Amino acid sequence: MRRLLSLLLVVLGCADAAPRAPTVVATSADVATRERVREEIRFAWAAYEEHAFGSDELRPVSGTASNWHGDVSLGLTIVDALDTLHLAGLDAERDRALVWIRDELRFDVDARVSVFETNIRILGGLLSGYALLEDPMLLQKAVDLADRLLVAFDSPSGIPYRFVHLRDRVASEPDVDTAEAGTYVLELEALSRFTGDPKYRNAARRALDALDATRFEATGLIHSGVQVERGEPTLPIAQLGGGVDSYVEYLWKGALQTGDRALAARYRDTVEPLHEYASFTSGENLHYGWVDGRDGRFLAPMSGALDCFFPGLLALEGDLIRARSTLEGCWSMHERYGLLPDSFEVESGQVIAANHELRPELVESLFYLHRFTGDPIYRERGRAVLETLVRRCRVEDGYTVLSDVRSGAQGDGMPSFFLAETLKYLYLLFEDHDVVPLDAWVFNTEAHPLPIAR
Ligand code: DMJ
């Protein structure tokens, strides 16, 4: 039945191009919500500026700052938030972020950084900032950073090591998860285009080719982890959530960015086995669980906050039937817990990891579904999410993660992706559709828009 549905979508031509976006007129309530989200962006940024400016992230409950690498800061929140501030029209805040990046951000530092996180958050933030603002300083910083990250790709397989020491330009740790192995094509393609130097694009493509060769032959499923020196899978579990998610996302978005049909075909080869083996229904709703990649055996109806990026990706690829149905699944889980926990079992409702991290994936999918259907229900739900975040996570000095969605116990952290993604997608959900139009821009996995090739 599922295969038939896929076939039908392809035959109808729905699955090979993003659907045409309908024209939507904003109601006065939509405009008011947009203004309200802008004020929440201003509020969260002001709290970061007051208590943590120049550090990686804000700890909003204690009103203190935290860094990912001890004394070294890469100003993670500043670079991640730059384009959000710009798109929300917070020009004075954006300009203070730009001054910090120009004067303080350096990469010749004593820090062993995650290649994946640095690529999606910092390189992605610098590149989208450059694309939107055309400030050459941002491109210079991006080139300096990318040249340091590139040493990670010098592995026997071409799949990048997990870490790079930025100052010493030394790569380490050959065990990576699948997302860490294959989430580079958007940023490195953009950088090759901006600089005219193909070495960035080539590194990302070589890694992707090597990764593709490691999928399980019998099922076509992709694993959750790989050893980069041997180029062999380490984790046979196949699933769509954390550790795999952005690899799948970048196949389709890479195809959109470049028009490369080979990437689109690889995306199909990756998601079709997931539809076949990993999908299941609960009530009317569609979910994707965990399966053994070697034989396709269904293991568990596991899901989590991160999985909820998938309805948005399905909408972007034109599969609105599955997009709506998986979004209903995510929404029912959101309503069950009052905010999505990081890990849970769909059928039993058992919570495996109760923390709520202010993640963007649910609002990201609401944004895409609204762009492609114009259905007002997605804005209504965005309003509901905003109210819940304000009620459960807003504190005097910013927004905080929850350590347990069931009790509502608060942690003490405001991850940089809250400003980069969660608030940006919420804001854009209520913005006119010709702002960052999806036929001209593609969002990286940290919600940094990069231009599509014309
Ligand atoms: C972000 O850093 C990115 O969206 C990544 O792909 C997944 N994790 C976080 C948000 O949840």
Side-chain angles (χ1 to χ4, degrees), residues 98-146:
L98 273 173
V99 168
W100 188 91
I101 293 170
R102 186 193 66 206
D103 295 346
E104 306 292 338
L105 182 59
R106 301 172 39 211
F107 299 120
D108 56 339
V109 289
D110 181 11
R112 191 176 80 134
V113 302
S114 154
V115 178
F116 165 79
E117 297 289 358
T118 311
N119 176 62
I120 66 170
R121 300 189 197 215
I122 299 187
L123 188 59
L126 292 170
L127 290 168
S128 71
Y130 175 68
L132 291 164
L133 301 167
E134 295 177 11
D135 181 339
M137 174 276 292
L138 294 170
L139 184 58
Q140 280 161 20
K141 300 262 179 188
V143 168
D144 180 22
L145 176 59

Side-chain angles (χ1 to χ4, degrees), residues 40-48 58 398-399 414 418-419 423:
E40 295 310 306
I41 294 171
R42 196 197 303 275
F43 164 75
W45 171 260
Y48 166 78
L58 168 68
Y399 278 79
M414 189 173 85
F418 182 62
L419 270 161
L423 288 177

Side-chain angles (χ1 to χ4, degrees), residues 42-247:
R42 196 197 303 275
F43 164 75
W45 171 260
Y48 166 78
E49 267 197 304
E50 185 179 347
H51 298 285
F53 194 63
S55 298
D56 281 330
E57 289 176 329
L58 168 68
R59 293 165 61 88
V61 172
S62 55
T64 57
S66 66
N67 287 327
W68 283 28
H69 309 99
D71 290 343
V72 174
S73 167
L74 296 175
L76 202 58
T77 296
I78 299 176
V79 185
D80 235 0
L82 177 69
D83 53 14
T84 303
L85 299 173
H86 175 68
L87 291 170
L90 299 174
D91 294 356
E93 287 85 349
R94 175 204 63 201
D95 290 346
R96 291 198 292 279
L98 273 173
V99 168
W100 188 91
I101 293 170
R102 186 193 66 206
D103 295 346
E104 306 292 338
L105 182 59
R106 301 172 39 211
F107 299 120
D108 56 339
V109 289
D110 181 11
R112 191 176 80 134
V113 302
S114 154
V115 178
F116 165 79
E117 297 289 358
T118 311
N119 176 62
I120 66 170
R121 300 189 197 215
I122 299 187
L123 188 59
L126 292 170
L127 290 168
S128 71
Y130 175 68
L132 291 164
L133 301 167
E134 295 177 11
D135 181 339
M137 174 276 292
L138 294 170
L139 184 58
Q140 280 161 20
K141 300 262 179 188
V143 168
D144 180 22
L145 176 59
D147 285 344
R148 293 168 197 273
L149 295 182
L150 228 48
V151 298
F153 291 75
D154 196 10
S155 74
S157 65
I159 301 171
Y161 287 91
R162 174 170 283 167
F163 298 118
V164 158
H165 189 285
L166 284 177
R167 184 194 59 203
D168 300 348
R169 300 180 193 242
V170 173
S172 56
E173 185 49 61
D175 278 316
V176 300
D177 65 41
T178 300
E180 289 174 312
T183 307
Y184 303 94
V185 283
L186 293 182
E187 297 81 6
L188 297 186
E189 171 66 33
L191 189 54
S192 278
R193 248 191 260 153
F194 292 155
T195 59
D197 187 339
K199 72 179 175 185
Y200 307 107
R201 169 192 302 127
N202 292 345
R205 287 305 184 97
R206 180 170 172 244
L208 216 50
D209 289 345
L211 189 57
D212 194 51
T214 64
R215 70 176 70 238
F216 296 108
E217 234 175 89
T219 60
L221 286 161
I222 193 79
H223 46 74
S224 301
V226 63
Q227 213 277 5
V228 309
E229 286 164 350
R230 297 194 302 273
E232 283 172 7
T234 49
L235 286 171
I237 294 172
Q239 48 99 17
L240 258 171
V244 178
D245 45 10
S246 49
Y247 158 68

Side-chain angles (χ1 to χ4, degrees), residues 321-387:
I321 296 171
R322 285 198 186 93
R324 279 187 183 273
S325 183
T326 47
L327 186 54
E328 291 312 304
C330 285
W331 188 253
S332 66
M333 296 298 112
H334 165 81
E335 291 205 307
R336 174 192 275 172
Y337 303 110
L339 274 176
L340 286 169
D342 251 16
S343 175
F344 50 85
E345 248 193 38
V346 173
E347 298 289 3
S348 67
Q350 193 192 345
V351 174
I352 313 294
N355 50 312
H356 172 78
E357 296 292 325
L358 298 172
R359 292 190 189 281
E361 287 76 11
L362 180 61
V363 284
E364 173 183 355
S365 284
L366 292 172
F367 161 76
Y368 281 110
L369 266 290
H370 190 265
R371 282 280 172 120
F372 289 118
T373 68
D375 189 334
I377 191 164
Y378 300 118
R379 281 186 171 166
E380 275 166 39
R381 287 175 175 180
R383 258 181 217 107
V385 172
L386 177 63
E387 295 309 332

